[in-house]
Short mmCIF file of all heavy atoms in Angstrom, two decimals:
data_model
loop_
_atom_site.label_atom_id
_atom_site.label_comp_id
_atom_site.label_asym_id
_atom_site.label_seq_id
_atom_site.Cartn_x
_atom_site.Cartn_y
_atom_site.Cartn_z
N CYS A 143 27.32 -13.78 12.85
CA CYS A 143 27.86 -14.46 11.67
C CYS A 143 27.41 -15.93 11.62
O CYS A 143 27.17 -16.44 10.51
CB CYS A 143 29.39 -14.36 11.66
SG CYS A 143 30.01 -12.71 11.32
N ALA A 144 27.32 -16.60 12.75
CA ALA A 144 26.83 -17.96 12.76
C ALA A 144 25.43 -18.08 12.26
O ALA A 144 25.07 -19.02 11.52
CB ALA A 144 26.99 -18.57 14.16
N GLU A 145 24.58 -17.10 12.63
CA GLU A 145 23.20 -17.11 12.17
C GLU A 145 23.13 -16.83 10.67
O GLU A 145 22.49 -17.56 9.91
CB GLU A 145 22.40 -16.05 12.92
CG GLU A 145 22.07 -16.45 14.34
CD GLU A 145 21.20 -15.42 15.02
OE1 GLU A 145 20.87 -14.37 14.41
OE2 GLU A 145 20.83 -15.65 16.20
N ILE A 146 23.79 -15.78 10.20
CA ILE A 146 23.72 -15.39 8.79
C ILE A 146 24.28 -16.51 7.91
O ILE A 146 23.70 -16.87 6.89
CB ILE A 146 24.47 -14.07 8.53
CG1 ILE A 146 23.82 -12.93 9.32
CG2 ILE A 146 24.49 -13.73 7.05
CD1 ILE A 146 22.34 -12.78 9.12
N ASP A 147 25.39 -17.08 8.32
CA ASP A 147 25.98 -18.17 7.58
C ASP A 147 25.05 -19.37 7.51
O ASP A 147 24.90 -20.01 6.45
CB ASP A 147 27.32 -18.59 8.20
CG ASP A 147 27.97 -19.75 7.48
OD1 ASP A 147 28.51 -19.52 6.38
OD2 ASP A 147 27.93 -20.88 8.00
N SER A 148 24.42 -19.70 8.60
CA SER A 148 23.52 -20.86 8.66
C SER A 148 22.29 -20.65 7.79
O SER A 148 21.88 -21.54 7.02
CB SER A 148 23.10 -21.16 10.09
OG SER A 148 24.23 -21.61 10.84
N TYR A 149 21.66 -19.48 7.88
CA TYR A 149 20.49 -19.20 7.07
C TYR A 149 20.81 -19.29 5.61
O TYR A 149 20.08 -19.91 4.81
CB TYR A 149 19.93 -17.80 7.38
CG TYR A 149 19.44 -17.60 8.80
CD1 TYR A 149 19.31 -16.32 9.33
CD2 TYR A 149 19.12 -18.67 9.62
CE1 TYR A 149 18.86 -16.12 10.63
CE2 TYR A 149 18.69 -18.48 10.91
CZ TYR A 149 18.56 -17.20 11.42
OH TYR A 149 18.12 -17.01 12.71
N LEU A 150 21.94 -18.70 5.23
CA LEU A 150 22.30 -18.66 3.81
C LEU A 150 22.73 -20.04 3.30
O LEU A 150 22.31 -20.48 2.24
CB LEU A 150 23.44 -17.66 3.64
CG LEU A 150 23.87 -17.34 2.18
CD1 LEU A 150 22.74 -16.78 1.39
CD2 LEU A 150 25.04 -16.34 2.22
N HIS A 151 23.51 -20.74 4.11
CA HIS A 151 24.03 -22.04 3.70
C HIS A 151 22.92 -23.04 3.50
O HIS A 151 22.86 -23.71 2.45
CB HIS A 151 25.04 -22.56 4.74
CG HIS A 151 25.59 -23.89 4.44
ND1 HIS A 151 26.73 -24.06 3.68
CD2 HIS A 151 25.18 -25.16 4.76
CE1 HIS A 151 26.99 -25.37 3.54
NE2 HIS A 151 26.06 -26.05 4.20
N VAL A 152 22.04 -23.15 4.46
CA VAL A 152 20.96 -24.14 4.39
C VAL A 152 19.98 -23.79 3.27
O VAL A 152 19.52 -24.66 2.52
CB VAL A 152 20.22 -24.28 5.73
CG1 VAL A 152 18.96 -25.14 5.60
CG2 VAL A 152 21.15 -24.90 6.77
N ALA A 153 19.64 -22.52 3.11
CA ALA A 153 18.73 -22.14 2.06
C ALA A 153 19.28 -22.49 0.67
O ALA A 153 18.59 -23.10 -0.16
CB ALA A 153 18.46 -20.63 2.12
N ARG A 154 20.54 -22.16 0.41
CA ARG A 154 21.11 -22.42 -0.92
C ARG A 154 21.29 -23.95 -1.11
O ARG A 154 20.98 -24.46 -2.19
CB ARG A 154 22.45 -21.72 -1.06
CG ARG A 154 22.39 -20.22 -0.97
CD ARG A 154 23.70 -19.58 -1.37
NE ARG A 154 23.80 -19.46 -2.81
CZ ARG A 154 24.91 -19.04 -3.44
NH1 ARG A 154 26.02 -18.78 -2.76
NH2 ARG A 154 24.93 -18.95 -4.77
N ARG A 155 21.77 -24.62 -0.10
CA ARG A 155 22.05 -26.05 -0.26
C ARG A 155 20.78 -26.87 -0.38
O ARG A 155 20.81 -27.98 -0.94
CB ARG A 155 22.89 -26.52 0.94
CG ARG A 155 23.67 -27.78 0.67
CD ARG A 155 24.65 -28.03 1.82
NE ARG A 155 25.34 -29.30 1.67
CZ ARG A 155 26.14 -29.81 2.59
NH1 ARG A 155 26.37 -29.14 3.71
NH2 ARG A 155 26.73 -30.99 2.39
#
Side-chain angles (χ1 to χ4, degrees):
C143 290
E145 286 183 358
I146 298 307
D147 179 74
S148 292
Y149 297 160
L150 188 59
H151 179 88
V152 171
R154 298 191 82 186
R155 201 170 175 187

